[in-house]
Amino acid sequence: MPRRKRNAGSSSEGTEDSDFSADHEHTDRIETYGRTRRNTRLTRASLRLSQSSQDSSPVQISPTEVVTFSARRVTRSRSLQQGPPVTPKKYPLRQSRSSGSDTEQHVEDLKRAADQDESPPRTPTGNALSSESDIDVSSPNASPDESLAKELSLKDSGSDLSHRPKRRRFHESYNFNMKCPTPGCNSLGHLTGKHERHFSISGCPLFHNLSVDECKTRASSRDKQVEERTLSHRQDENRHGTRHQAPTERQMRYKEKVTEMRKKRNSGLLKEQKDQYMDHRQSHGNNREPLLENITSDYDLELFRKAQARASEDLEKLQGQVAEGSNMIKTIVFGRYELDTWYHSPYPEEYARLGRLYMCEFCLKYMKSLTILRRHMAKCVWKHPPGDEIYRKGNISVFEVDGKKNKIYCQNLCLLAKLFLDHKTLYYDVEPFLFYVMTEADNTGCHLVGYFSKEKNSFLNYNVSCILTMPQYMRQGYGKMLIDFSYLLSKVEEKVGSPERPLSDLGLISYRSYWKEVLLRYLNQFQGKEISIKEISQETAVNPVDIVSTLQSLQMLKYWKGKHLVLKRQDLIDDWKAKETKRGSSKTIEPTALKWTPPKGT
């Protein structure tokens, strides 16, 4: 039968030589437990050397040395010397594996011995750290010859293992270098009140002049306000959107409350408060947020605190996604610009882990270093996007690129767009799409301004699937030009178009602004008395749903005596005229400059 592994101090196989003075043996084993553990590990290389030395020159071992090593070896050696076996005595059974008092005392003794031990630490799961090159001498499966060889090698080395490197404990291997950069902060707590630790200034309570308990209290109050707001919205769900445009009583009361809170704000700071703010600024400098009390009303300050907590929570989620996914490209060198990225894009891992990517602004190939980019630019023959140039006015051109004919270029364009778009999911399947790339020309070539893509066959009449304006050209009117160009194509196709949902935050702002200008321009030129949503849709190619939502946001759609009325607000039209005069006509799409026929099959 296979031998069982026995605990230190347990009885042997019933022989007289190993069972005598059981209590005395138990005490001796506890005292030598630490010494045995310190001297019972060695490498396999020393084991092989000891075995070879044993085979070449046999060594005589005294029985006393064997006694301290193994109880089984004692029994065998003495039985060989004494000749005939001795009848074993019968002893009462010891409950070495039960839950009796003897077992509990035995476990406690072992624990005390283990506390005094300097053996390698255990992992958090409770298992001892092990390695392929380490063997435990006290293993019951080891043969007697191997055990003797190991003991001899230990004695030859003087039983001193101090030369071996000490194993690092689990808490020593943990990376404690991550800490909050704010001086004097212990990285505990979080501005949102939902995390136990923080490692950035955006989540540091100390930087925002708050304590951990105050952050938790503010978080609970924000949660209560969200629940109350959700409950009030549920009560208003039964209202018809177009019939009740006037604010409800609850909204009116809330507005009056906010007005009163803003009136209570002090007109200026007292001298003591100014001195306190100056002392705080001089003592902490830029390491702390300035004191914000009494600068504005309590209501506005609370709104600002909520915005800070929400931004910090979004940053935590973004950092978690980056850590769970892969490395994130932080900057790209694109032409004469160096752009900071906003979101993660699934570039190959060997490029994503670099942190900075170098791109050719004409063919959109990405490279690892500036040297490779210079060599590429020296031999790159592209000076404009591939495809057909279908629009040109001044230095603005639009190229139509087929995703099936120019697959690599379109894939690189989608990967580039994902760095600045959160909701984009299309990267490689570009064949069913057409890409309309807007460029700005100079003496070096046509530089990428932005683009939008659309399906070749859209059953829902989407005229835009994805739209992007490069960050260096934002807030200059190019976004509205791209939107206007997409609706111009819909007019040529004699269709009513709408962008594909969901829209990004910046995309929604741009589309709302464009729809507002289209409606105000139409109403300014309209001279009749009755107007139809369908007629507006057919003339502007804007979806009726988008028209109605825009009229509601402008409070120009009312319900009166069973009919829907469109109010022509002259104040909004006058504001739009003033902006149009100030803006000029340089950033507009000219329909006559379009040279394009709809592709076949669309």
Side-chain angles (χ1 to χ4, degrees):
M1 296 177 62
R3 297 174 180 174
R4 292 184 177 179
K5 184 177 180 180
R6 296 164 299 166
N7 296 329
S10 61
S11 61
S12 67
E13 297 175 351
T15 60
E16 179 182 7
D17 298 320
S18 60
D19 259 347
F20 75 99
S21 301
D23 297 335
H24 181 69
E25 180 184 357
H26 176 68
T27 306
D28 292 340
R29 285 186 179 275
I30 293 177
E31 292 175 355
T32 60
Y33 185 81
R35 295 194 300 273
T36 305
R37 289 291 300 276
R38 284 195 298 270
N39 301 329
T40 56
R41 303 187 73 86
L42 72 162
T43 60
R44 289 184 177 179
S46 61
L47 174 61
R48 296 192 189 96
L49 292 175
S50 61
Q51 287 179 349
S52 61
S53 63
Q54 181 185 6
D55 295 340
S56 60
S57 59
V59 181
Q60 297 293 333
I61 304 173
S62 62
T64 57
E65 293 177 351
V66 181
V67 168
T68 59
F69 178 73
S70 174
R72 285 203 187 102
R73 189 63 183 173
V74 172
T75 305
R76 291 181 181 179
S77 61
R78 292 193 178 183
S79 62
L80 291 175
Q81 294 176 4
Q82 294 178 2
V86 181
T87 304
K89 295 182 181 181
K90 296 183 177 180
Y91 293 94
L93 295 176
R94 296 180 63 187
Q95 299 178 354
S96 59
R97 300 181 183 273
S98 64
S99 59
S101 60
D102 294 340
T103 305
E104 295 177 357
Q105 182 67 26
H106 176 63
V107 172
E108 292 178 359
D109 295 339
L110 289 180
K111 288 183 178 180
R112 284 195 297 270
D115 293 338
Q116 300 175 358
D117 184 22
E118 296 180 0
S119 60
R122 294 180 179 270
T123 61
T125 57
N127 300 324
L129 295 171
S130 60
S131 175
E132 290 184 358
S133 61
D134 295 339
I135 304 176
D136 195 350
V137 177
S138 61
S139 174
N141 297 328
S143 63
D145 297 335
E146 293 178 352
S147 303
L148 288 173
K150 294 172 186 177
E151 185 183 10
L152 286 175
S153 62
L154 285 174
K155 291 194 173 186
D156 293 340
S157 62
S159 300
D160 186 12
L161 300 180
S162 60
H163 63 281
R164 295 181 59 185
K166 186 177 179 181
R167 292 181 182 269
R168 296 181 64 186
R169 297 185 181 273
F170 174 74
H171 69 274
E172 293 176 357
S173 62
Y174 184 81
N175 184 14
F176 283 102
N177 294 328
M178 292 181 59
K179 61 180 182 179
C180 179
T182 304
C185 181
N186 55 4
S187 299
L188 295 179
H190 200 274
L191 181 63
T192 60
K194 299 179 180 179
H195 305 282
E196 296 298 331
R197 297 181 67 86
H198 67 276
F199 303 102
S200 61
I201 294 179
S202 61
C204 179
L206 184 62
F207 177 81
H208 296 89
N209 303 315
L210 297 172
S211 63
V212 178
D213 295 335
E214 288 177 348
C215 293
K216 293 181 179 180
T217 304
R218 291 172 182 268
S220 61
S221 63
R222 286 195 299 268
D223 294 339
K224 291 181 181 179
Q225 292 177 2
V226 170
E227 293 178 359
E228 294 175 357
R229 191 180 303 111
T230 305
L231 181 60
S232 61
H233 286 331
R234 289 177 181 175
Q235 295 175 356
D236 297 339
E237 282 182 354
N238 297 328
R239 299 190 307 124
H240 195 279
T242 58
R243 294 187 179 181
H244 298 275
Q245 289 294 329
T248 60
E249 295 182 0
R250 179 183 58 81
Q251 294 173 345
M252 293 298 295
R253 290 196 302 268
Y254 184 75
K255 185 177 180 180
E256 294 175 357
K257 179 181 177 181
V258 171
T259 304
E260 292 178 359
M261 293 176 64
R262 287 175 172 170
K263 288 181 179 179
K264 293 180 180 178
R265 183 177 69 90
N266 296 329
S267 58
L269 297 176
L270 300 177
K271 184 178 180 181
E272 297 178 355
Q273 295 175 346
K274 291 182 179 180
D275 295 340
Q276 182 181 0
Y277 290 176
M278 293 300 297
D279 293 341
H280 181 272
R281 190 66 175 176
Q282 292 176 0
S283 59
H284 299 289
N286 296 328
N287 296 326
R288 295 284 184 88
E289 183 184 65
L291 298 178
L292 303 177
E293 287 74 12
N294 297 324
I295 293 180
T296 183
S297 63
D298 295 340
Y299 174 78
D300 294 327
L301 181 59
E302 185 65 22
L303 285 180
F304 180 71
R305 293 294 188 190
K306 290 180 181 178
Q308 282 184 325
R310 184 174 179 179
S312 178
E313 183 67 21
D314 293 341
L315 286 175
E316 289 290 338
K317 292 180 180 179
L318 179 61
Q319 292 174 1
Q321 291 174 1
V322 173
E324 292 174 2
S326 60
N327 299 323
M328 180 176 177
I329 300 172
K330 297 182 180 179
T331 58
I332 60 171
V333 176
F334 193 81
R336 61 178 182 271
Y337 300 99
E338 183 175 346
L339 308 176
D340 294 332
T341 61
W342 300 348
Y343 303 101
H344 171 71
S345 183
Y347 279 95
E349 184 179 359
E350 56 180 328
Y351 293 90
R353 65 189 178 192
L354 297 176
R356 173 179 291 186
L357 214 56
Y358 299 85
M359 292 187 184
C360 175
E361 60 177 335
F362 300 115
C363 66
L364 302 185
K365 289 184 179 179
Y366 44 90
M367 286 146 276
K368 296 182 179 180
S369 65
L370 184 60
T371 304
I372 301 176
L373 177 62
R374 288 173 180 172
R375 293 176 180 175
H376 171 82
M377 295 299 295
K379 58 185 178 181
C380 183
V381 297
W382 289 31
K383 296 300 178 183
H384 60 80
D388 302 327
E389 185 179 8
I390 62 175
Y391 178 87
R392 180 187 293 181
K393 179 186 176 183
N395 61 345
I396 301 297
S397 300
V398 178
F399 293 82
E400 183 183 53
V401 184
D402 193 343
K404 187 176 182 180
K405 296 179 181 179
N406 305 98
K407 188 175 181 179
I408 301 299
Y409 178 87
C410 295
Q411 288 178 352
N412 292 338
L413 183 60
C414 291
L415 290 174
L416 173 62
K418 183 60 182 71
L419 293 172
F420 308 101
L421 296 176
D422 187 18
H423 299 284
K424 186 173 178 58
T425 57
L426 173 68
Y427 312 121
Y428 300 105
D429 186 17
V430 296
E431 296 181 0
F433 293 88
L434 291 172
F435 295 81
Y436 296 90
V437 184
M438 180 175 289
T439 61
E440 185 180 40
D442 58 9
N443 55 357
T444 60
C446 297
H447 305 281
L448 177 64
V449 173
Y451 87 100
F452 70 90
S453 62
K454 62 182 295 186
E455 291 182 278
K456 296 177 181 178
N457 297 286
S458 178
F459 296 100
L460 299 177
N461 289 332
Y462 287 141
N463 60 357
V464 168
S465 295
C466 179
I467 185 169
L468 169 73
T469 304
M470 294 298 292
Q472 66 269 27
Y473 292 102
M474 287 184 177
R475 301 187 64 84
Q476 300 180 28
Y478 290 104
K480 290 183 180 179
M481 290 180 66
L482 286 170
I483 296 173
D484 196 11
F485 190 81
S486 66
Y487 280 104
L488 177 60
L489 298 183
S490 298
K491 294 177 183 178
V492 175
E493 292 176 333
E494 298 181 354
K495 294 181 180 179
V496 174
S498 179
E500 185 175 341
R501 268 69 171 181
L503 289 170
S504 63
D505 297 336
L506 295 177
L508 181 60
I509 293 173
S510 300
Y511 267 96
R512 283 279 173 85
S513 178
Y514 174 78
W515 292 332
K516 175 183 175 181
E517 290 185 4
V518 169
L519 290 177
L520 293 178
R521 183 184 296 111
Y522 183 86
L523 293 176
N524 183 43
Q525 298 174 357
F526 185 75
Q527 301 297 332
K529 293 183 178 180
E530 294 184 358
I531 194 170
S532 172
I533 301 295
K534 186 177 180 180
E535 293 177 358
I536 300 176
S537 176
Q538 291 177 352
E539 186 169 342
T540 61
V542 180
N543 193 288
V545 177
D546 299 331
I547 295 175
V548 172
S549 64
T550 305
L551 290 175
Q552 289 179 349
S553 63
L554 297 176
Q555 297 184 359
M556 297 175 64
L557 191 62
K558 299 293 183 179
Y559 185 79
W560 186 69
K561 292 185 178 181
K563 294 182 180 180
H564 293 284
L565 303 178
V566 177
L567 301 181
K568 186 177 181 180
R569 295 182 56 180
Q570 193 62 35
D571 55 342
L572 295 179
I573 296 176
D574 294 339
D575 294 341
W576 167 76
K577 285 183 179 180
K579 291 181 180 179
E580 284 290 316
T581 304
K582 183 179 180 180
R583 185 183 305 165
S585 59
S586 59
K587 299 294 178 62
T588 57
I589 294 295
E590 184 65 35
T592 57
L594 177 64
K595 308 297 181 183
W596 178 77
T597 55
K600 296 181 180 180
T602 59

